[in-house]
Amino acid sequence: MDLFDKLTILADSAKYDVACTSSGSDRRGARGRLGNTVGCGICHTFAADGRCVSLLKVLLSNACVYQCAYCVNRAGNDVPRATFTPRELCELTMQFYRRNYIEGLFLSSAVLRDPDYTCERMIETLRLLREEYGFHGYVHAKAIPGADPALTLRLGQLADRMSVNIELPSEQSLTRLAPQKTKASILRPMGLIRDRAEEARQELALYRHAPRFAPAGQSTQMIVGATGETDYKILTLTAALYRKFRLRRVFYSAYVPVADSPLLPAPAGFKPPLLREHRLYQADWLLRFYGFSAEELLDEAHPNFNPVLDPKCNWAVNHMELFPVEVNTAPREMLLRVPGIGVKSADRILIARRTGKLDFAALKKIGVVLKRAQYFLLCNGKMAEGLRISSDGVLRALVSERCQEMLPEAQPEQLSLFPERVTREDVLQCLTGQM
């Protein structure tokens, strides 16, 4: 098999792995080296300076010995198989980099033979890339659960970011769909990466030239919709992962049918739960930047997200006793809980109100989305002209603004997140306060 055929197979096999993001690493270019990680990111994302950057996202091999029911590369699936040699993958990466196609590498792999052997092949690839080819750019490497800890540590010395996919939200689902994986085998390398990264940061504070270990941190991915866990279960697990393992990101991947298995949703008529994935990303943002906890957004009585309102609006409508808030005196923590006010807008409000009182016209210039925020704010003790506050009235106003775009007949199905879950009855129930 020639190199192009291998690339075709292994790049396609990697498309279901979404656990990648901008690097967060700042290793600068050096004389005699190629590339840098300053401002670089991952394939089809935006760097801090606004550039859209790209990454070669590929598997070392898709010849897996595991039989995970949800995975297209599982051992029993009849798909073309291919494996790069470390040298082939290095040559491919460097040729793409020199042609300005990519700015880095995202390297993952199926479990080829066993975890240790697979990890050794990945290490050899990155060693060649760093030491022989002099590549100084961004590398994201996927740790292999079950591999020897010494191999995982060596992989982290060569990569900028590492990730260990947790795959499914519960141990029961993992046992049922991926019997060769265990919760312990996945969490063990996550803890190892966390501890070694912290040691490396402390060493770097003492010794300028101390070796770095995964300076851009670690991330993980969960598949959504393949099993029956609720949004509440997924969100509480996410919060625990952030707290315990200090992850940079948790990624959510709407399940795409790749197998006809009695353990999975039937492929016929099944649509990936894109709206649910979208709501989880919105809630994840609230956990990381807005000071919310998982228990504030969902609970046992309401275990799934509102399909019509985003999590922040839904929380605000259910806590109208806290609103409206005075924009000229409210603390930052409360401003961040107002729908339509983001992190940047909240910081701009704090700066602007030092020099004078703010009104609704000033808030619009600052970047506040008044279409939503006007129902929850006071400016100089007054609400926006003509508004009266009530839970029912705010709910109706928020839903009516988006009602038409959420109905299945309002948009072409292929362009909308909503047809797979939201129906006219959902909207009507929300308008009448039954959701």
Side-chain angles (χ1 to χ4, degrees):
M1 187 181 296
D2 65 28
L3 200 58
F4 180 79
D5 289 335
K6 288 185 179 182
L7 178 62
T8 302
I9 293 170
L10 294 172
D12 184 68
S13 298
K15 67 185 179 183
Y16 297 106
D17 197 329
V18 299
C20 54
T21 185
S22 56
S23 72
S25 184
D26 61 354
R27 184 175 58 252
R28 298 186 175 275
R31 184 180 296 276
R33 299 282 183 171
L34 294 172
N36 65 76
T37 63
V38 180
C40 287
I42 305 291
C43 167
H44 301 115
T45 190
F46 291 90
D49 59 3
R51 293 179 303 116
C52 184
V53 293
S54 59
L55 184 87
L56 176 59
K57 185 177 181 181
V58 69
L59 298 183
L60 182 70
S61 174
N62 70 339
C64 195
V65 298
Y66 285 179
Q67 188 68 289
C68 303
Y70 52 82
C71 182
V72 69
N73 299 315
R74 67 192 181 282
N77 200 20
D78 185 17
V79 295
R81 304 290 179 173
T83 300
F84 281 122
T85 66
R87 180 74 62 181
E88 285 176 336
L89 190 49
C90 289
E91 288 287 346
L92 192 65
T93 302
M94 297 311 301
Q95 291 297 330
F96 277 20
Y97 180 81
R98 290 189 177 105
R99 287 168 172 78
N100 203 30
Y101 295 162
I102 62 168
E103 294 181 81
L105 174 67
F106 179 95
L107 180 60
S108 184
S109 181
V111 179
L112 182 66
R113 192 186 298 178
D114 59 60
D116 283 352
Y117 178 75
T118 307
C119 197
E120 287 169 356
R121 303 266 294 189
M122 294 177 68
I123 290 170
E124 178 62 12
T125 301
L126 297 189
R127 187 195 67 78
L128 287 173
L129 201 60
R130 295 297 197 199
E131 298 177 5
E132 186 171 323
Y133 289 83
F135 184 71
H136 216 52
Y138 177 77
V139 174
H140 182 149
K142 185 63 63 65
I144 306 298
D148 188 278
L151 296 175
T152 301
L153 293 176
R154 176 57 179 154
L155 193 63
Q157 292 172 349
L158 296 166
D160 293 283
R161 169 166 288 181
M162 296 187 71
S163 56
V164 186
N165 283 0
I166 200 165
E167 305 289 7
L168 296 170
S170 71
E171 189 170 11
Q172 293 79 8
S173 295
L174 198 65
T175 301
R176 186 162 58 95
L177 296 181
Q180 291 151 305
K181 295 181 180 179
T182 64
K183 178 182 176 182
S185 69
I186 293 172
L187 297 183
R188 191 178 299 113
M190 294 177 74
L192 185 68
I193 294 168
R194 174 204 61 201
D195 295 342
R196 182 64 191 99
E198 180 59 32
E199 291 174 5
R201 281 192 290 270
Q202 294 176 4
E203 291 169 1
L204 197 61
L206 296 175
Y207 309 104
R208 180 181 175 186
H209 298 292
R212 302 180 357 149
F213 181 90
Q218 64 171 320
S219 59
T220 192
Q221 171 185 311
M222 274 187 276
I223 299 171
V224 178
T227 51
E229 288 84 6
T230 63
D231 294 337
Y232 178 58
K233 169 68 175 178
I234 294 172
L235 200 63
T236 52
L237 174 59
T238 295
L241 290 173
Y242 279 131
R243 183 173 58 253
K244 186 173 182 180
F245 297 105
R246 295 193 284 276
L247 301 185
R248 291 293 180 91
R249 285 293 303 273
V250 173
F251 291 86
Y252 310 93
S253 178
Y255 171 67
V256 177
V258 294
D260 191 2
S261 167
L263 302 175
L264 293 165
F270 180 82
K271 296 178 180 178
L274 299 178
L275 175 59
R276 189 179 181 193
E277 176 190 300
H278 182 58
R279 290 283 183 255
L280 284 165
Y281 274 116
Q282 290 176 319
D284 183 275
W285 208 260
L286 296 179
L287 294 181
R288 292 192 296 135
F289 299 113
Y290 288 77
F292 282 86
S293 66
E295 290 72 21
E296 288 180 287
L297 299 173
L298 295 171
D299 53 37
E300 295 289 353
H302 304 88
N304 294 304
F305 290 113
N306 190 325
V308 181
L309 292 179
D310 67 76
K312 192 176 182 183
C313 282
N314 191 64
W315 177 87
V317 167
N318 288 321
H319 293 82
M320 289 304 295
E321 70 278 4
L322 302 176
F323 300 102
V325 298
E326 173 56 58
V327 74
N328 288 294
T329 59
R332 184 177 186 273
E333 294 74 19
M334 196 61 204
L335 289 175
L336 287 174
R337 294 184 173 235
V338 176
I341 296 182
V343 175
K344 290 184 178 179
S345 297
D347 291 337
R348 289 170 183 166
I349 288 171
L350 294 178
I351 294 171
R353 72 188 191 186
R354 295 173 188 168
T355 58
K357 297 289 186 180
L358 299 176
D359 56 19
F360 285 100
L363 292 180
K364 187 174 182 179
K365 292 179 181 179
I366 283 174
V368 174
V369 183
L370 288 179
K371 189 180 291 186
R372 294 195 296 273
Q374 62 182 342
Y375 303 107
F376 305 96
L377 289 178
L378 295 175
C379 284
N380 301 312
K382 299 179 181 180
M383 294 198 68
E385 187 176 353
L387 286 184
R388 296 291 183 271
I389 194 82
S390 73
S391 297
D392 183 64
V394 171
L395 178 63
R396 287 176 177 273
L398 289 173
V399 174
S400 63
E401 289 172 0
R402 303 177 64 193
C403 178
Q404 290 304 316
E405 70 183 61
M406 289 186 175
L407 293 178
E409 58 268 34
Q411 291 185 6
E413 185 169 329
Q414 67 271 22
L415 299 179
S416 174
L417 290 170
F418 300 102
E420 77 274 14
R421 276 192 61 181
V422 177
T423 65
R424 185 178 294 277
E425 288 70 28
D426 290 332
V427 176
L428 294 175
Q429 287 177 0
C430 195
L431 283 169
T432 55
Q434 297 177 17
M435 292 184 68

